Amino acid sequence: MIDIKLIRENPTLYKDGAKAKRFDVDIDRLLEIDSQLAVFRQQLQDYATEKNLLGKSVANASAQDKKPLLEKLADIKKDESEINEKVKFLQPEFDAMMLTIPQPAAPEVPLGKDDTENVELRKWGKIRDFDFEPKDHIALGTLLDIIDVERGVKLAGTRNYFLKGDGALLHWAILRFALDTMVSRGYVPMAVPLLMRDEAMRGTAYFPGGEDQAYRMEKDELNLAGTAEVPVTAYHMGEILKQEQLPLKYCGLSTCFRREAGAAGKDTYGLYRIHQFDKVEQVVICENDQEKSKQYHQEILANSEAVLQALELPYRVVNVCTGDLGRGQIQKFDIETWMPSRKSFGETHSASRFYDFQARRMNLRYKAENGKNLFCHTLNNTVIASPRVLIPVLELYQNKDGSVNVPKVLQPYMGGKEIITAR
């Protein structure tokens, strides 16, 4: 959420920022309501002062003088009640609008309408040149009997699957390797709840706007989290931390649920866009310092690159354009890993910097050295998400006979197994 004072000072910045991010918001209406509420609050303050003075006068007045004073007091209370009703009418509209105002992108973010205009920053690794006709991950998974989409769809509907045997072991090995990597880098591991209250979804900026993508438990008024970012970032919601506690570095391993509403006909084949997956997510909560935020942004990006490099998967890093940014992100770097069956790079990681956008919504603060309570800055990035990452692993490590070599760093997690073969 944006500080309303900043919007008052420079409304054009937020109008242009919303337009660049392709969010339809009415800044003029917001400021009109803000102005009206300011007038009403001043009137209520004046009424409170006047009532206090009249109350003292009534207490010291003679019986003859009390009547007009009491009548005047009654008139003030009536006017006060009318103003309170106006505030009750306008405040919810103001609060709702404040939750929709996007944070303008950083100056270093490229202008663009969608992901086709993201800007490549660098590439790593060599794309494999096959000397045979490679199979895609579903063909490999079926041959090796480690992926079963047909029964997943039969039991749970479209975009569902089973991983079995070495497929399940490979999936868990990747997650455990990613988690161990983060722990070795000083991040605190967390097993998190998956059902979130609306407050946590709003606090992390998934609501409003992301309701269609969330699985909602109406009876309990809870939501299945689409990422561990929600519970991990909201872990300290409503708290005032100590400056010496910062930065807080967490990594959460969780199952994630996404409805993928509006994705009909898009990336429907295989394991790329599915309803349920597992992910290791990294979150940093730091001081209200833009330069430090930028440093941690590079750190969480480097963490994920280290995992992909250890897996020897070729990838590229892109600077996400304005039209592909979310409401709260001031800048985002995507990592896209090479997927032979797609003949292109596919997004596997998103590293986001928010400054105090999420913290304001969560009322997450820390007491600075000068004694002031400041809103924290938050950042997050995927460490690894599976089974999407199984696409490049299976496809790039395949052999001509359909067997798949196990990446060296994962072999200890699979009991020393070096190759997955058909049984």
Side-chain angles (χ1 to χ4, degrees):
M1 188 162 61
I2 308 298
D3 186 345
I4 186 61
K5 294 178 182 178
L6 298 177
I7 301 176
R8 290 172 190 154
E9 292 169 1
N10 194 352
T12 301
L13 173 66
Y14 292 91
K15 291 178 183 179
D16 292 345
K19 184 178 180 181
K21 280 190 170 185
R22 301 192 305 163
F23 283 95
D24 185 16
V25 295
D26 192 342
I27 300 293
D28 290 332
R29 174 58 181 163
L30 174 70
L31 292 175
E32 178 186 354
I33 297 171
D34 177 54
S35 179
Q36 290 175 344
L37 286 171
V39 171
F40 293 151
R41 291 192 189 97
Q42 184 58 57
Q43 288 178 329
L44 290 173
Q45 183 61 46
D46 293 342
Y47 287 146
T49 300
E50 195 169 357
K51 282 194 305 179
N52 185 49
L53 292 173
L54 280 172
K56 293 178 180 179
S57 298
V58 168
N60 298 321
S62 63
Q64 182 179 355
D65 293 335
K66 276 187 180 180
K67 184 178 179 181
L69 291 174
L70 290 171
E71 288 175 349
K72 188 174 183 181
L73 189 59
D75 288 340
I76 291 173
K77 288 181 178 179
K78 180 182 177 182
D79 292 341
E80 183 182 47
S81 178
E82 291 175 356
I83 296 299
N84 271 319
E85 286 301 313
K86 292 179 180 179
V87 171
K88 288 179 183 178
F89 178 77
L90 284 178
Q91 192 66 51
E93 184 181 357
F94 175 82
D95 293 340
M97 289 190 73
M98 283 295 291
L99 291 175
T100 68
I101 307 301
Q103 175 162 230
E108 58 267 32
V109 172
L111 286 172
K113 65 180 184 301
D114 55 34
D115 59 2
T116 63
E117 299 189 63
N118 293 342
V119 176
E120 181 180 296
L121 297 177
R122 60 181 174 274
K123 287 180 179 176
W124 184 92
K126 183 179 179 181
I127 294 174
R128 181 178 176 183
D129 185 16
F130 291 91
D131 57 6
F132 60 88
E133 186 62 32
K135 297 177 176 62
D136 66 42
H137 64 288
I138 295 299
L140 289 165
T142 302
L143 175 67
L144 298 171
D145 195 26
I146 60 174
I147 300 173
D148 191 334
V149 173
E150 184 178 349
R151 287 184 175 89
V153 171
K154 180 176 70 174
L155 296 183
T158 58
R159 301 179 189 265
N160 284 288
Y161 58 92
F162 278 90
L163 299 176
K164 55 188 293 194
D166 286 334
L169 293 176
L170 185 65
H171 165 76
W172 291 324
I174 287 171
L175 295 169
R176 186 54 196 268
F177 169 68
L179 187 64
D180 286 355
T181 298
M182 295 306 298
V183 172
S184 72
R185 292 180 172 223
Y187 285 68
V188 178
M190 300 182 78
V192 300
L194 301 180
L195 287 167
M196 294 284 101
R197 290 177 171 170
D198 289 351
E199 291 88 342
M201 300 296 281
R202 281 194 296 269
T204 49
Y206 281 90
F207 289 176
E211 290 85 350
D212 287 346
Q213 298 298 341
Y215 284 100
R216 173 76 171 170
M217 309 292 109
E218 292 290 353
K219 185 175 181 180
D220 301 296
E221 297 184 346
L222 295 170
N223 311 278
L224 281 169
T227 167
E229 173 198 341
V230 177
V232 176
T233 307
Y235 181 63
H236 292 286
M237 183 169 63
E239 298 181 19
I240 300 177
L241 306 173
K242 297 177 181 178
Q243 185 165 355
E244 54 266 30
Q245 290 179 265
L246 303 177
L248 293 170
K249 299 180 179 182
Y250 296 123
C251 57
L253 169 58
S254 77
T255 301
C256 308
F257 301 89
R258 298 184 186 179
R259 292 186 62 241
E260 295 292 354
K266 182 181 180 183
D267 299 321
T268 56
Y269 181 76
L271 300 177
Y272 190 82
R273 194 177 297 277
I274 48 185
H275 291 307
Q276 177 183 327
F277 57 95
D278 292 292
K279 180 157 66 86
V280 179
E281 182 78 6
Q282 53 185 315
V283 169
V284 174
I285 300 170
C286 66
E287 296 170 52
N288 195 309
D289 184 306
Q290 293 188 7
E291 288 307 312
K292 287 185 178 180
S293 277
K294 290 178 181 179
Q295 291 171 17
Y296 290 124
H297 202 173
Q298 293 301 318
E299 177 180 309
I300 61 176
L301 182 61
N303 290 338
S304 299
E305 289 190 68
V307 171
L308 288 179
Q309 290 175 17
L311 291 169
E312 299 183 73
L313 298 176
Y315 65 86
R316 69 173 188 166
V317 178
V318 299
N319 190 5
V320 174
C321 74
T322 54
D324 197 28
L325 285 179
R327 197 184 307 274
Q329 295 157 339
I330 192 163
Q331 187 174 27
K332 180 170 73 170
F333 301 114
D334 277 357
I335 302 177
E336 300 174 349
T337 307
W338 181 257
M339 300 180 182
S341 61
R342 296 169 66 89
K343 296 181 174 60
S344 67
F345 293 94
E347 184 230 312
T348 51
H349 301 70
S350 290
S352 301
R353 183 170 87 249
F354 293 88
Y355 289 162
D356 64 0
F357 187 88
Q358 291 179 319
R360 282 184 177 276
R361 298 166 77 106
M362 293 185 294
N363 196 26
L364 170 56
R365 296 170 291 170
Y366 70 96
K367 186 170 291 294
E369 293 176 350
N370 60 9
K372 291 183 178 180
N373 292 331
L374 302 177
F375 288 103
C376 299
H377 280 192
T378 61
L379 309 94
N380 64 68
N381 186 20
T382 317
V383 182
I384 209 73
S386 184
R388 182 178 286 192
V389 77
L390 292 184
I391 299 174
V393 169
L394 293 174
E395 293 180 358
L396 289 168
Y397 277 89
Q398 67 177 294
N399 301 306
K400 188 175 182 178
D401 63 358
S403 62
V404 173
N405 298 326
V406 177
K408 289 182 181 180
V409 294
L410 300 182
Q411 292 174 13
Y413 295 90
M414 296 189 66
K417 182 183 286 288
E418 296 180 358
I419 187 169
I420 300 172
T421 58
R423 295 184 179 183

